[in-house]
Each structure stands twice: as structure tokens, then as C-alpha cells.
Amino acid sequence: MTRAPTTKRYHHGELRSALIAAALVMLERDGPAAITLRGLARVLGVSPMAPYHHFDDRAALLAAVAAAGFDRLTQRKIESQAQESDAPKSSLIAGTASYVAFVIENPNLFRLMLSNEFADQHRYPDLRRAAAAPAGLLISRIGDLLAGTGQTALSPRDCAQMLWGFAHGIGTLALDGQIAPADADRIARAGARSIIEGWL
Amino acid sequence: MTRAPTTKRYHHGELRSALIAAALVMLERDGPAAITLRGLARVLGVSPMAPYHHFDDRAALLAAVAAAGFDRLTQRKIESQAQESDAPKSSLIAGTASYVAFVIENPNLFRLMLSNEFADQHRYPDLRRAAAAPAGLLISRIGDLLAGTGQTALSPRDCAQMLWGFAHGIGTLALDGQIAPADADRIARAGARSIIEGWL
DNA sequence: ACCTGAACACCGTTCAAGT
DNA sequence: ACCTGAACACCGTTCAAGT
């Protein structure tokens, strides 16, 4: 059941990152409720109270895990944008589908990311920053697309929220089994196309 | 802190509904983690173990609360559809905005409804049914709209998932503070319009 | 600086028992 | 049928202490 305690020692903040890494594994395997400060300490072979030297409380650890999830998403978006030199429109459609795929591949992580009862504005600035990064990439991409068109009713930011929100929702419905995973990609692309064409 | 125990007695399933009602209050006030079988028993003035006679475990209670949330949403949709005799298109746009408003008004309830690590397909059929009801209403509404058009690429079900997913996502982003509540309504309407026009 | 150990109040869950 | 009470293993959190 519980893994044999490691004999490894942790120094200089290594324990902090080890806690986050172990929590990510636990999260995807057993759900958010399985993330436990004592349980993590057990798995890593340190005393039950050791995690408290790196996180104020359980909520702070969860916030860090969620931030790691947003970082992962940002990384993925950066990579895919680099290798695409498509037209902006089809690039945005592909990005929507890619976001939905991320959600389906990381269900529990995604749920933690968006269940941020933890991110109550003031308390976790790192999480806020990490969560805003993907939106920033999207906004600049959309700015490119809209530059040159006469569009003024909607700002790039409005458009980004519209498209991001759509991807968010399709992913969530797919997680809940309301949309079959096989249909999610098709619906995501068709919807993204309609939304984008509505801007122009 | 803890409310004074009630002297009331519960019979014939009254305790079951009292537990759900109390959980809904707790949920919106203090978040999902505050929903506790022992805590509910305390508030209702029964023994700590009494809830176990009505729910197999904590997850079953949460599933019932989530189902109550979907029922509330269905009720709201039925009422608003009854008083609207608008054109189907503007009715669908209004419905999207109304869904987003529901999310913003019931943040914790909504999060519980969609965080259904509890609804693992087989275990909570009542929750599944309740969750499917709003979609059913939407699908028939869209069927009316599409009847008569030559549209065949997307089924009413596909269209419903597209629009529902969009509302879902905009609501979620508004909860997370990524969209200002004041902007959510405008973005929801503009996006819904684009999506619907994409079908036609 | 980083980790340990004891202690406290709380929870979910099981079981045997009451009416 | 419905509720109670004792018991167990677990958690989050605080505090004093070690190196």
C-alpha cells in the first residue's frame, strides 16, 4: 500500500519540488482528496511535519500544484505555436483542439486548476500569474489576427476569453462524460471556427 | 460557531432531505470541504452516525447535493422557457446568458456539480439523470431551430453540446476571476450568437 | 535553515446495540 | 426502520525541541 520510505535526504528546497512532483502523481492517480501532507511525507520518507517548512498549509500546496499545471499548459502552447506557421485562423482552431486534448489527458489536474477555491485573489500570486500566462499567449495571437480588420466591437481580450471559455467548457463536458471523447475534437474545431468567424 | 442542536425529530426520510438542504447551505457558505457528515449531524441535532442510514458514505451525499443542483438548474430553464415565446435564436442566446448567471450566483454548487469525481458512471444513476436533463431541454429547443434548415453536418445533440460547453466555460472563467462578471454577460451573448449562426 | 516528535481536535467508517 | 455509542485509523495544525 504505502511505498517503502526513501532513504534520500532533502536539502535546499529539494523537498519542496519533490512534494509538488509527488502530489502531481498522486493527484492523477487517486484524485485531489488523496493529496495529503502527511501522506506525501510518508511517501518521501520524511517526518509528517516536514512539509510545513515549505508550505503554510494544505491549501498552499494545492495552489502550487495547480500553478504547476498552468505552467505545463503554457509550455505546451509555446511549443505548439513554435512549430506552427499556419494562418492565424487555423492556428487558433488547432490551439482550441489542443487545449481540449490537454484537459482530457489530465482530468484531475485540470479540475484542480479550475476549482481554485484556493486562488482567492490575494493569497497566491504565483498561481494567479501562472493561470494568466496561457491567456496572454492567446490574446497576442488574436491581436495578430484582428490587426488590419475593421473590428472594434470586441477587444482581443474579449475574443480570447470567448475562445478560451469555449475550449474550457468543451473539455469539462468531455471530462464529465457528457461529450464522448471521440466527438470532443470535432465539436471543438467546429465551434472555434464559428466563434472566430463571428469576429470578422 | 456550531449552531445549537435542534430538538426536532426526523422520521420517514425527513432526515435525508434535511441533510441535503443543510449541505447546500454549508456548501455555498464555506465551500465543499466544509460538508462533513459529522458536522451536518451536529447542526441537525442527531447523532454523528445518523446520516449513514441515508447515505452510504460522504461521496453519496455529495452526489445527492450535486443532483439537487442540476434539478435547480433544470427548474430554472423550464420556467424561463415557459415565459419566453421569442424566436428560437434569441431564446437560445438568452438561455446561454441565463446559464452563465446561474454559475455566478451559485459558484460552489456549480463547482461541485462539475467536479464529479463522484459520478463515475455506474454508481450514481440519479445524478446522471439530473445532469442530463438540462441538456435534453436544450437539444429539443435546437431541434426546433434546425428543423426546416438544410443543416445535416451537425446533429442537434452536437449543437447542444457546443453551446452548453461554451456557457459552461464562460461561467467557469467568470468564477475564476479571469472574466469580470460585468463582461461575462456580453461575451456570453456575442459568442452564443456566433456559434448559432455557424450552424445555419 | 531544516527536520523531528508529541499533542489536540477533527473526520470517515465499521460494528454492536438499543427502541 | 431508524437512531445511538464506542472504537479505529487517519488528517491538519500547533508548539517545543533537536542538529
Side-chain angles (χ1 to χ4, degrees), chain A residues 161-183:
Chain A
Q161 289 170 333
M162 198 183 283
L163 193 59
W164 183 22
F166 174 69
H168 225 69
I170 297 298
T172 305
L173 291 186
L175 282 193
D176 287 9
Q178 306 275 3
I179 296 182
D183 294 339

Side-chain angles (χ1 to χ4, degrees), chain B residues 137-150:
Chain B
L137 292 176
L138 186 55
I139 290 172
S140 73
R141 196 79 172 179
I142 290 175
D144 296 344
L145 172 65
L146 294 185
T149 71

